Amino acid sequence: MNAAFRAMLQARAGSTVAASRALQGVTHNLSRGEWREVLASEFLMPLLPPTLGIGSGSIIDHLGGQSAQQDLVIYDRTLVPPALVGSTFSGLFPIDGVLFTIEVKSTLTADELRDADEKARALEKMAYLNVAIPRAVASAPGLLGPTGPVSASGGHAFAGVGGSGAQGPVDHASRLEKAVPCLFAFAADSRNVLDDYLRSEVADPGLRALCVVDLGYWFWKEPQGWQRGWVSEDGMREAWDYAEMLDFASTILARYDQIRATRVRDLNPFISPRE
């Protein structure tokens, strides 16, 4: 670990949280956009490489499907490009270019967590382009997850145990890594809100990563289930300020290249009339 570098990132995370808490003191009703813009502009955007972009809007597929409004969408500029509205970061995002989605909450409640999970499940059903992918990807070994190999068989980059792929070109869906649905909250109504979700008997939750300031970071990994990243404990707050936020960001940076390697670059199915 480089202490100076980590301290600089902790300072950036701290300014993000401070801005969110300042917004809580404003008397007028705040839109969801203000919370997501704080997270995007203050914390995530400076950390992402130039090939990645952050936006907000609906995700679409080549069959005409469209998702509900997504708070934040992290997409790859080198894949299928989004259609943005003017100079804003709002628009429509083809699913084949989307790597992560992030629901942003000021104070997470049980109802909001349930709604976020439902939105993530709906996203899971969207259609990805079904074409052959390069031999280099088709024959690559299983992708690495946070603590081990990840299946490339139509799953998420935070989950599973993988093996070597078939030789030669294969159907894209057989190696697909889908967009990873995440949730970020600046606070939680109570710790029980998270504990109930993490202890649920759901074998395949919609959300794949949870980050709540001051409480911790969790990611889903198959077959083990929810895994703890940094989780707050008594006496650790001062020494590890905002470690949960840094873990969340570092996971995105470590996984994005592996996800996009399983995608294709083809705008045509989104714009050409189907026969």
Side-chain angles (χ1 to χ4, degrees):
M1 182 188 78
N2 185 292
F5 183 72
R6 183 181 180 110
M8 292 181 69
L9 294 185
Q10 286 176 309
R12 177 171 291 162
S15 68
T16 303
V17 174
S20 75
R21 289 172 179 167
L23 284 176
Q24 288 180 321
V26 178
T27 56
H28 73 280
N29 292 327
L30 294 170
S31 68
R32 291 171 61 188
E34 290 172 283
W35 294 106
R36 67 180 178 238
E37 286 172 16
V38 166
L39 178 63
S41 63
E42 296 286 335
F43 185 62
L44 291 176
M45 282 182 179
L47 298 177
L48 296 180
T51 56
L52 299 189
I54 301 182
S56 176
S58 293
I59 296 173
I60 59 172
D61 63 31
H62 66 288
L63 299 181
Q66 183 169 330
S67 75
Q69 177 80 10
Q70 304 292 315
D71 285 347
L72 289 178
V73 176
I74 298 181
Y75 62 94
D76 192 311
R77 301 179 193 274
T78 69
L79 296 173
V80 186
L84 301 179
V85 179
S87 60
T88 70
F89 77 161
S90 298
L92 298 176
F93 300 84
I95 186 69
D96 297 276
V98 175
L99 307 181
F100 302 88
T101 64
I102 306 175
E103 284 292 294
V104 184
K105 305 299 179 184
S106 56
T107 301
L108 183 65
T109 66
D111 288 342
E112 287 176 331
L113 183 54
R114 189 179 307 110
D115 290 344
D117 186 86
E118 290 175 359
K119 286 178 66 174
R121 291 179 185 280
L123 195 65
E124 172 82 14
K125 300 175 182 177
M126 299 196 73
Y128 289 76
L129 293 174
N130 190 21
V131 297
I133 59 174
R135 179 183 298 268
V137 175
S139 60
L143 306 180
L144 294 181
T147 56
V150 156
S151 171
S153 58
H156 295 276
F158 284 10
V161 176
S164 59
Q167 297 298 315
V170 297
D171 184 71
H172 173 60
S174 71
R175 297 290 301 183
L176 174 66
E177 289 291 355
K178 295 183 178 181
V180 180
C182 310
L183 183 144
F184 181 95
F186 287 99
D189 199 29
S190 73
R191 180 61 183 261
N192 291 338
V193 171
L194 284 171
D195 289 343
D196 290 345
Y197 186 77
L198 296 170
R199 288 198 302 260
S200 70
E201 299 301 320
V202 178
D204 192 25
L207 294 167
R208 297 288 159 154
L210 302 171
C211 182
V212 182
V213 175
D214 289 343
L215 289 183
Y217 166 60
W218 298 261
F219 60 89
W220 177 265
K221 183 176 185 293
E222 296 175 351
Q224 294 92 334
W226 286 108
Q227 305 293 298
R228 294 163 55 128
W230 184 90
V231 178
S232 63
E233 298 176 4
D234 292 344
M236 293 188 65
R237 182 77 260 161
E238 182 177 352
W240 297 98
D241 280 350
Y242 311 114
E244 69 282 354
M245 294 178 65
L246 302 189
D247 275 359
F248 179 53
S250 65
T251 302
I252 290 174
L253 291 173
R255 303 296 160 244
Y256 80 88
D257 204 37
Q258 297 170 348
I259 302 174
R260 72 176 179 179
T262 71
R263 305 293 184 81
V264 293
R265 298 169 175 85
D266 192 355
L267 181 62
N268 193 58
F270 287 88
I271 59 177
S272 297
R274 285 181 288 149
E275 296 180 359

